[in-house]
């Protein structure tokens, strides 16, 4: 994967990453609240050699003092220094326990010793730090005292007395929040990568391109009302779904330009990806251009075309295949355009045998000779073999892929089954594509309807000027007159269409 793939994964899972970052921030905040505050008090001591002399003697004494400082730093946490502090302050800790609170440091090439004490009480931390410094002064004086008598060559002085801190040194709330947010961000990114690796469902165009080199004919946007209103004729001519099917129609014309056959098989890998609604709406959209279209319902296992279009499905394809009636008598016109539908008919016990018969091939050839476009709604590829049987007698196959409904391995397997029978795969139709997010960006689902916006603005201006019941009645009358004129035009077109349609479209 390249950088764009990683960015796409992060964009696709931005909610997960944001949630993990927020949880990390909350965890850091909770940790800072739960942690007991501690206070740090410091004191500083200066180590010097006693006596005076030449410059060389002073330099030698300074080097001697620096060498001894490292030993004094180690001495701070010994019982020799800490036990007198415990006795003087009446502490309950042992020397070892108090040593974990005390820390002594020194800078390189200096004779300064810094003693810091961490405690839950600011006053007690200052008292312990001051007591440790005083105890160290006495301990060094005893330890460095010559055995022959006399004073110690080392003198330690407290240069910075310990004071009670006004603010706690821990917890560092800002640091806790930054660490929590950073850990949450990292965990969210790792979770997004793991999710993308484990969940290999096809969600967009990029996922399809990793599987096949077939053309992507178009994307149908997700519409929550599609189940209750599956036809584009019920969503309006300027809806996103209607416009996407018009774009699909245009892309199919260019993708199918080199094909002599007029038949197009619509199928999918699994049920529920929307292949039937795609076939129906595509047939309606092509018929709107004035071309003669026949929609063949070849899904003899779960037929839905008749239910969507409100047509009788008792007699249809199976009736013609068993020669109980001629196909001329079984075609049902639909709508005001030159669209005919051949429903499934009675569900047979042997769908695959009927669809692979010579009668089915002759029927498709007859339909192709009489109509400009033949669209076949076939069953899914993976559950049954009906679609692969029909693909051998179809001019081209378009595979519908439901976004988020199928895994990549299933799509790859279904395309391989078509390649095994030398099917001509025209392209892929993405269905249920999100209108927002990274998967929708490649299609650009934008609304472009200047007429409706102009009308809306005019109506707003008009309603601001004309008010009252009389004006409303006048507007209703004007709208009713316009509807009557439109209805008259539609009826005249229907009459002309019915006159031009012949009862039989097939040469006998």
């Amino acid at each position: 994967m390249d950088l764009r793939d990683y960015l796409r994964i992060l964009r696709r899972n931005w909610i997960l990453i944001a949630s993990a970052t927020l949880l990390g921030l909350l965890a850091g905040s909770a940790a800072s609240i739960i942690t007991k505050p501690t206070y740090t008090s410091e004191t500083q001591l200066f180590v010097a050699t006693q006596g005076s002399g030449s410059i060389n003697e002073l330099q030698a004494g300074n080097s001697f003092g620096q060498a001894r400082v490292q030993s004094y730093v180690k001495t701070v946490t010994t019982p020799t220094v800490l036990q007198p502090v415990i006795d003087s302050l009446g502490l309950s800790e042992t020397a070892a326990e108090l040593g974990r609170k005390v820390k002594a440091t020194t800078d390189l090439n200096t004779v300064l010793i810094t003693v810091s004490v961490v405690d839950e009480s600011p006053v007690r931390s200052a008292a312990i730090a001051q007591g440790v410094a005083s105890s160290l002064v006495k301990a060094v004086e005893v330890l460095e005292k010559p055995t022959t008598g006399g004073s110690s060559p080392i003198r330690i002085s407290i240069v910075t007395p310990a004071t009670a801190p006004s603010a706690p040194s821990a917890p560092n709330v800002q640091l806790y929040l930054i660490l929590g947010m950073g850990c949450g961000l990292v965990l969210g990114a790792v979770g997004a990568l793991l999710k993308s690796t484990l969940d290999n469902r096809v969600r967009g165009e990029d996922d399809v391109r990793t599987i096949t080199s077939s053309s992507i004919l178009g994307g149908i946007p997700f519409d929550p009302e599609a189940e209750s209103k599956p036809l584009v004729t019920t969503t309006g001519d300027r809806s996103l779904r209607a416009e996407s099917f018009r774009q699909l129609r245009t892309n199919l014309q260019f993708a199918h330009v080199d094909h002599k056959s007029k038949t197009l098989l619509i199928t999918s890998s699994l049920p529920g990806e929307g292949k039937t609604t795609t076939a129906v709406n595509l047939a309606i959209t092509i018929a709107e251009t004035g071309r003669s279209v026949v929609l063949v319902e070849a899904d003899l296992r779960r037929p839905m075309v008749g239910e969507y279009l409100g047509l009788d499905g008792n007699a249809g394809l199976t009736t013609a295949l068993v020669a109980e009636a001629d196909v001329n008598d079984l075609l049902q016109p639909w709508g005001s355009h030159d669209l005919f539908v051949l429903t499934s008919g009675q569900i047979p016990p042997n769908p695959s045998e009927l669809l692979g018969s010579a009668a089915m091939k002759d029927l498709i050839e007859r339909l192709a000779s009489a109509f400009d476009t033949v669209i076949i709604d076939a069953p899914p590829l993976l559950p049954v073999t009906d679609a692969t049987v029909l693909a051998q007698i179809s001019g081209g196959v378009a595979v519908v892929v439901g976004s988020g409904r199928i895994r990549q391995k299933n799509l790859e397997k279904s395309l391989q089954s078509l390649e095994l029978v030398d099917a001509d795969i025209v392209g892929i139709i993405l269905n249920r594509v999100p209108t927002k997010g990274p998967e929708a960006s490649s299609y650009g689902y934008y609304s472009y309807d200047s007429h409706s916006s102009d009308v809306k603005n005019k109506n707003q201006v008009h309603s601001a000027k004309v008010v009252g019941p009389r004006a409303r009645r006048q507007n209703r009358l004007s709208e009713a007159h316009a509807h009557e004129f439109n209805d008259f035009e539609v009826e005249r077109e229907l009459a002309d269409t019915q006159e031009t349609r012949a009862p039989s479209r097939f040469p006998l």
Side-chain angles (χ1 to χ4, degrees):
M1 295 194 303
D2 55 10
L3 180 60
R4 290 188 301 176
D5 295 328
Y6 287 109
L7 293 177
R8 179 172 55 87
I9 292 174
L10 295 179
R11 286 187 60 193
R12 178 183 293 175
N13 299 276
W14 70 269
I15 296 179
L16 173 62
I17 298 174
S19 300
T21 304
L22 181 59
L23 288 177
L25 188 63
L26 294 176
S29 177
S32 64
I33 295 174
I34 295 174
T35 305
K36 283 186 177 182
T38 56
Y39 299 84
T40 302
S41 181
E42 293 183 350
T43 182
Q44 202 167 47
L45 301 95
F46 182 83
V47 180
T49 57
Q50 300 191 54
S52 60
S54 63
I55 295 178
N56 292 333
E57 292 177 349
L58 291 175
Q59 289 179 347
N62 184 50
S63 300
F64 175 76
Q66 291 179 3
R68 305 297 279 181
V69 163
Q70 298 295 332
S71 301
Y72 300 153
V73 168
K74 301 292 185 180
T75 308
V76 170
T77 56
T78 61
T80 303
V81 176
L82 298 180
Q83 190 60 44
V85 178
I86 295 174
D87 297 338
S88 62
L89 297 178
L91 301 178
S92 59
E93 293 102 332
T94 63
E97 293 173 348
L98 182 60
R100 287 192 287 268
K101 296 182 178 180
V102 179
K103 182 180 180 181
T105 58
T106 183
D107 294 332
L108 187 64
N109 299 325
T110 65
V111 291
L112 293 175
I113 299 175
T114 302
V115 178
S116 58
V117 177
V118 179
D119 194 84
E120 297 178 358
S121 171
V123 177
R124 188 167 54 189
S125 67
I128 294 175
Q130 190 67 26
V132 170
S134 301
S135 179
L136 178 63
V137 172
K138 296 178 181 179
V140 170
E141 185 177 356
V142 174
L143 293 174
E144 295 289 356
K145 187 176 182 179
T147 57
T148 58
S151 60
S152 171
I154 299 296
R155 184 182 74 252
I156 299 180
S157 305
I158 300 175
V159 294
T160 304
T163 58
S166 59
S169 57
N172 190 338
V173 178
Q174 184 177 4
L175 179 61
Y176 274 49
L177 294 179
I178 293 176
L179 289 177
M181 185 171 62
C183 292
L185 181 62
V186 172
L187 290 177
V190 172
L193 293 175
L194 289 177
K195 180 182 176 182
S196 177
T197 303
L198 298 176
D199 183 14
N200 58 352
R201 285 179 291 180
V202 178
R203 299 184 181 275
E205 181 177 345
D206 294 333
D207 296 331
V208 175
R209 294 192 184 280
T210 60
I211 300 173
T212 177
S213 59
S214 300
S215 302
I216 299 178
L217 300 175
I220 312 301
F222 173 74
D223 187 358
E225 298 182 354
E227 293 185 2
S228 58
K229 298 179 181 179
L231 303 183
V232 292
T233 54
T234 60
T235 60
D237 293 338
R238 294 182 176 87
S239 65
L240 290 178
R241 290 187 69 217
E243 184 60 34
S244 62
F245 274 104
R246 284 192 287 268
Q247 183 66 41
L248 175 61
R249 176 188 64 195
T250 303
N251 294 341
L252 272 173
Q253 290 176 353
F254 288 99
H256 212 247
V257 66
D258 295 332
H259 292 71
K260 297 180 180 180
S261 176
K262 302 177 182 179
T263 61
L264 178 64
L265 182 74
I266 306 294
T267 184
S268 62
S269 300
L270 295 172
E273 296 188 71
K275 53 96 180 173
T276 299
T277 55
T278 302
V280 172
N281 289 317
L282 182 61
I284 295 174
T285 307
I286 296 177
E288 289 176 351
T289 62
R291 298 173 63 87
S292 59
V293 181
V294 58
L295 174 61
V296 180
E297 185 177 21
D299 190 347
L300 303 183
R301 300 176 187 269
R302 294 181 181 178
M304 295 295 295
V305 173
E307 181 178 346
Y308 288 155
L309 298 177
L311 300 176
D312 184 15
N314 293 324
L317 177 61
T318 56
T319 310
L321 293 179
V322 296
E324 292 185 356
D326 188 75
V327 68
N328 291 313
D329 302 325
L330 300 172
L331 289 174
Q332 303 181 55
W334 190 90
S336 59
H337 301 285
D338 204 3
L339 172 61
F340 287 82
V341 180
L342 181 61
T343 57
S344 63
Q346 297 294 329
I347 298 179
N350 54 344
S352 298
E353 288 75 6
L354 279 179
L355 296 176
S357 62
M360 181 66 184
K361 183 178 181 181
D362 295 339
L363 177 62
I364 297 299
E365 292 177 353
R366 291 182 62 190
L367 293 174
S369 64
F371 289 89
D372 297 329
T373 303
V374 179
I375 295 180
I376 304 173
D377 175 34
L381 287 162
L382 296 183
V384 292
T385 61
D386 300 1
T388 55
V389 172
L390 290 171
Q392 301 178 53
I393 60 175
S394 302
V397 180
V399 181
V400 177
V401 177
S403 176
R405 293 296 185 92
I406 182 177
R407 298 188 181 276
Q408 296 181 11
K409 61 178 182 180
N410 291 333
L411 177 59
E412 185 177 3
K413 185 177 180 180
S414 62
L415 293 176
Q416 289 177 354
S417 65
L418 291 175
E419 294 174 356
L420 288 176
V421 296
D422 293 330
D424 188 358
I425 302 176
V426 178
I428 307 296
I429 302 174
L430 283 173
N431 192 29
R432 300 174 59 89
V433 179
T435 57
K436 296 180 180 179
E439 309 306 340
S441 59
S442 58
Y443 294 98
Y445 294 125
Y446 304 109
S447 176
Y448 184 72
D449 191 2
S450 59
H451 177 72
S452 61
S453 60
D454 293 340
V455 172
K456 182 178 180 180
N457 294 333
K458 291 179 181 179
N459 291 339
Q460 291 176 351
V461 174
H462 183 72
S463 61
K465 293 180 180 180
V466 183
V467 294
R470 183 175 181 181
R472 293 193 185 97
R473 284 196 298 269
Q474 291 177 354
N475 293 337
R476 291 283 183 86
L477 290 173
S478 299
E479 292 175 0
H481 177 72
H483 284 305
E484 290 175 359
F485 178 78
N486 291 334
D487 292 340
F488 172 76
E489 293 292 328
V490 171
E491 291 176 0
R492 188 173 65 181
E493 290 177 3
L494 287 174
D496 295 340
T497 304
Q498 291 176 357
E499 290 177 0
T500 56
R501 285 183 179 177
S504 177
R505 300 191 58 88
F506 300 99
L508 299 177

